[in-house]
Amino acid sequence: MNFYVHQNIHINMLKVGSVSNSSVLQIGSAGMIKPLSNLYNTGGFKEPAPQAGDPSGGISGPVVPFSTT
């Protein structure tokens, strides 16, 4: 059995707050959503990013468990 959906969609403004790697934005009906991933170099970078530093900001010392009591 086949279903045919005819739609006319008019959007004056569409504001997307955020987009992540697993986001899906669907407008209208879809029989099947196919995954698509695009990677863009919008900054025009020509070399890899430098290595990330220590996430603690260089602070070292003993690990002290956190207690709520």
Side-chain angles (χ1 to χ4, degrees):
M1 178 182 286
N2 292 327
F3 292 97
Y4 296 96
V5 178
H6 298 278
Q7 292 181 322
N8 289 320
I9 300 174
H10 181 83
I11 300 172
N12 289 324
M13 183 179 78
L14 175 66
K15 182 177 180 180
V16 178
S18 66
V19 176
S20 67
N21 288 342
S22 60
S23 293
V24 173
L25 173 63
Q26 178 179 331
I27 299 172
S29 297
M32 181 186 330
I33 297 176
K34 296 180 181 179
L36 173 65
S37 178
N38 294 319
L39 180 64
Y40 297 102
N41 182 9
T42 58
F45 298 102
K46 296 185 169 109
E47 60 187 47
Q51 286 292 325
D54 183 1
S56 68
I59 300 171
S60 61
V63 175
V64 179
F66 178 75
S67 174
T68 59
T69 57

